Amino acid sequence: MSAQRVMIDPEQFRKVFGGDLGDVFLLVTSPGVRAGLQVATGTTVPVQEFAWTGPDSRQGLIAEMAALRAAGKRGSVLWIADDEFVHFDDEDLRDMRLGAFSSFSAPFSEETLAGSVRIVSEVDYERELRIEETFLTLLDQADDMLFLGHEFGTEAVFRHQYSEHWFSLHGPLQPGQQVVLPTGELSSLVNASGEFEDHTHFSLDGDITLQGAPIVHRGGHETSLAETERVYQDLAAMADEPAVITVTDGRITAVRPARPGATRFAEGLERLLAHDDRYAKLHEIGFGTNAACTPLLPGNYFANERHPGVHLGLGLGTFTQFHVDLMSTAIDVVMRGVDGRDVELFPALGLTAGHALSPAAA
């Protein structure tokens, strides 16, 4: 750990909590994380702390929030732990808003947390809501989506109108809501949230260029950080050794290097598919919309998932050992058939997407 601790001031989070921090700012931290934090004093909203020591702390935190409600108090809850964040039931969060930072899939570092806090404090959440509204309108109006990779001449068609399960993470938190921070993503899942079936699939066909950043999520406590890091390192060459995948009915049927001799990422992806063929199914197609998450940063960094662009999600924790998000900056999205015309998605959202590589690859 570095000697510089991360300042946690409730005012840094006022916007993401909807401008209203309530009566209490409840800071929930695990011991290793807490040692790297400095909590602001003299804040306008009193800070109350709760120690998170693992899954067994869940009921204690629920009781803590219930005690605040019983005292007639509303709260903003900031959860920061080197543990897996598992969403709480709606009744447990009544009169509370909860934002979470998890370092479950990569070791906690003050530098990473400071970067995530910066992103959360910089976002214009009302603009996020406008982006969401425009995006949903385009989804409704377009016949399908075209995924183009101009450098390597790739093209794939996503018939998104057949997709039933859409999830949006935009705007400030309202009472009773919770989110893993930062916000800024709209995604489609093949199955309902938390479900995974091998036979279901997206209506997606063609070739897709993958170049950018992998994000590897641990599937559960039984998977170690060391195993997670090994899989991440096996895919890390995605930044500067892109691959082209062929997708048929939403499944990866072929992988090849985009450039002759630049094979590390393609080979790493093929090893993942050989290890468990369930990763060949695209379980998620996500669209990052958070301009504050630029540029892509090196390392297994969760916020890269919210970077403007497209990420493809493979596997699902509790079913597979990992959930792997492949955030590609080499995909341009065209919404086809919007009032009889084609619309480039990210420019229509007021975002610049694609072609931004991590500093490690520059």
Side-chain angles (χ1 to χ4, degrees):
M1 284 189 182
S2 66
Q4 185 67 42
R5 295 193 293 173
V6 181
M7 173 62 72
I8 298 296
D9 184 338
E11 291 302 321
Q12 296 169 299
F13 301 91
R14 182 174 290 279
K15 290 193 299 180
V16 74
F17 285 119
D20 180 8
L21 293 172
D23 304 301
V24 174
F25 187 85
L26 181 57
L27 178 62
V28 181
T29 59
S30 54
V33 169
R34 183 63 183 86
L37 306 182
Q38 180 179 349
V39 180
T41 58
T43 60
T44 57
V45 178
V47 177
Q48 184 172 317
E49 296 199 43
F50 180 90
W52 182 275
T53 56
D56 291 342
S57 299
R58 186 178 182 82
Q59 289 305 315
L61 178 55
I62 291 171
E64 189 84 4
M65 292 187 289
L68 288 174
R69 279 194 298 273
K73 296 180 178 180
R74 299 169 298 116
S76 298
V77 184
L78 182 63
W79 186 99
I80 316 175
D82 48 4
D83 196 8
E84 182 179 23
F85 179 73
V86 179
H87 283 73
F88 291 81
D89 293 335
D90 291 345
E91 60 267 26
D92 297 328
L93 284 180
R94 189 163 39 87
D95 297 325
M96 304 287 157
R97 311 167 200 242
L98 191 155
F101 291 113
S102 172
S103 53
F104 183 62
S105 297
F108 169 75
S109 77
E110 291 90 343
E111 182 181 11
T112 297
L113 178 60
S116 297
V117 171
R118 174 197 60 78
I119 290 169
V120 168
S121 65
E122 286 182 358
V123 170
D124 180 341
Y125 294 94
E126 296 306 318
R127 182 185 180 221
E128 273 200 347
L129 290 177
R130 294 192 296 272
I131 287 172
E132 176 188 66
E133 182 179 6
T134 301
F135 201 156
L136 292 175
T137 299
L138 290 170
L139 283 175
D140 184 57
Q141 294 178 344
D143 295 330
D144 56 35
M145 296 187 194
L146 198 61
F147 292 167
L148 300 176
H150 292 290
E151 183 176 357
F152 301 105
T154 58
E155 179 178 316
V157 179
F158 176 33
R159 299 169 188 87
H160 69 280
Q161 296 288 4
Y162 294 107
S163 296
E164 299 179 9
H165 307 290
W166 290 88
F167 301 89
S168 188
L169 301 171
H170 292 103
L173 288 162
Q174 301 300 319
Q177 291 185 336
Q178 58 197 311
V179 71
V180 177
L181 299 168
T183 55
E185 177 182 340
L186 191 146
S187 61
S188 180
L189 301 180
V190 171
N191 303 110
S193 182
E195 297 180 8
F196 185 92
E197 297 174 306
D198 192 50
H199 67 275
T200 55
H201 59 88
F202 285 118
S203 183
L204 173 65
D205 295 274
D207 290 341
I208 298 175
T209 302
L210 296 179
Q211 181 173 23
I215 304 99
V216 181
H217 305 269
R218 289 168 69 190
H221 288 84
E222 66 279 1
T223 298
S224 69
L225 282 172
E227 291 173 298
T228 307
E229 176 65 12
R230 280 197 294 272
V231 172
Y232 168 76
Q233 290 297 337
D234 219 22
L235 301 173
M238 181 182 178
D240 53 5
E241 295 193 12
V244 173
I245 58 171
T246 298
V247 178
T248 306
D249 283 336
R251 294 184 65 88
I252 300 172
T253 55
V255 180
R256 68 179 188 272
R259 298 190 186 102
T263 63
R264 289 182 299 156
F265 170 58
E267 291 170 350
L269 182 55
E270 286 181 320
R271 281 191 290 272
L272 179 70
L273 301 179
H275 174 71
D276 186 338
D277 64 5
R278 289 177 296 177
Y279 291 117
K281 166 192 166 177
L282 300 185
H283 180 69
E284 173 192 9
I285 300 176
F287 302 85
T289 60
N290 192 329
C293 292
T294 56
L296 291 172
L297 297 180
N300 192 17
Y301 183 42
F302 172 76
N304 284 339
E305 187 175 323
R306 313 296 203 212
H307 182 285
V310 180
H311 59 267
L312 305 180
L314 317 178
L316 180 66
T318 73
F319 295 92
T320 56
Q321 192 174 10
F322 307 97
H323 172 70
V324 178
D325 285 307
L326 301 174
M327 196 303 121
S328 180
T329 61
I331 300 172
D332 291 321
V333 181
V334 175
M335 313 294 288
R336 299 202 297 186
V338 179
D339 294 331
R341 61 195 177 92
D342 294 345
V343 176
E344 293 186 42
L345 174 62
F346 290 102
L349 300 178
L351 298 169
T352 301
H355 317 300
L357 299 182
S358 70

